[in-house]
Amino acid sequence: RVNARLAISFYHGVLVMADTTVDLIYSNYEQTINSTSQRGYIGWSAIGAKCERAIYYDWRWVSKKHVEGRIARLFETGHREEDRVIENLRKLPNVEVFGSTGGGGQIGVAAMAKGDLGRHLGFVVKNLPEYPGEAVLVDVKTANTKRFDRVVTNGMAVESPQYVAQATGYMGLMNLKRAGYLYVCKDD
């Protein structure tokens, strides 16, 4: 069995990394993400979960979620894509981007008395050609073709209600009228 998800291209063809190398790469990601302390708040997207008990358990940190190395690497892919989109937007005439520090850094906001809810949203863009003069909350998500097509076909409310809840909360906290998620198909 060869795990071909990661490959190195050379001048004379492609070397597919053996399982040991891939496993070590994923192991490094897994150790890094799981060694960080549990965040002291519930992420706003968790409010969009269908199960109220799950929301409560997330809020009270009943159990720490273990993240696999492959998934942690995909998170990093999303951060890198967000930086790329921000760079693209900043090159557009009259468009201003606020709040992103690059490298996956995002705007921090909090709600509730102790800041138990909220924290990180993507960035705010002003003067998009579609909305001149308006500030729009934007977050970038990467998706495979199957997921991307479902979001396009069914819309965010059906496919990602947790992100609709997240955007609604942040729009309220920041007094914004518009929010959007930019999905990037990572298979293209």
Side-chain angles (χ1 to χ4, degrees):
R1 166 182 155 290
V2 176
N3 186 338
R5 286 193 181 107
L6 297 176
I8 302 173
S9 179
F10 289 101
Y11 293 114
H12 302 291
V14 175
L15 165 70
V16 177
M17 291 185 192
D19 286 344
T20 303
T21 303
V22 173
D23 289 346
L24 288 170
I25 290 170
Y26 287 160
S27 177
N28 283 333
Y29 276 97
E30 192 167 325
Q31 288 173 6
T32 300
I33 199 166
N34 290 307
S35 67
T36 59
S37 61
Q38 202 157 346
R39 56 190 189 177
Y41 61 91
I42 182 173
W44 208 299
S45 63
I47 295 302
K50 292 178 183 176
C51 175
E52 291 180 7
R53 183 176 295 175
I55 295 169
Y56 181 81
Y57 285 171
D58 277 351
W59 181 33
R60 294 299 178 196
W61 307 282
V62 171
S63 64
K64 184 172 180 175
K65 295 177 182 170
H66 181 82
V67 180
E68 294 178 18
R70 185 182 71 79
I71 301 301
R73 188 171 182 279
L74 290 173
F75 290 160
E76 182 187 68
T77 299
H79 294 312
R80 288 181 179 196
E81 187 62 36
E82 185 168 282
D83 290 343
R84 184 177 178 195
V85 168
I86 290 168
E87 182 182 328
N88 295 158
L89 290 170
R90 285 189 170 137
K91 291 177 181 178
L92 298 178
N94 301 318
V95 172
E96 300 174 74
V97 180
F98 303 96
S100 177
T101 60
Q106 298 178 320
I107 299 172
V109 294
M112 297 174 57
K114 297 178 184 176
D116 286 335
L117 175 64
R119 287 310 201 250
H120 301 98
L121 57 100
F123 50 95
V124 175
V125 181
K126 189 170 182 185
N127 293 322
L128 284 170
E130 296 83 358
Y131 304 107
E134 289 190 53
V136 179
L137 170 64
V138 178
D139 202 353
V140 176
K141 300 292 180 191
T142 59
N144 62 25
T145 301
K146 184 177 177 182
R147 172 114 172 101
F148 182 87
D149 289 345
R150 284 197 328 258
V151 170
V152 170
T153 301
N154 301 325
M156 289 289 293
V158 171
E159 292 299 328
S160 300
Q162 73 275 25
Y163 296 141
V164 173
Q166 182 181 41
T168 302
Y170 288 143
M171 285 169 44
L173 284 173
M174 299 186 71
N175 199 27
L176 295 172
K177 294 179 184 175
R178 299 191 187 275
Y181 283 86
L182 176 63
Y183 271 80
V184 177
C185 182
K186 55 188 161 191
D187 296 340
D188 291 341

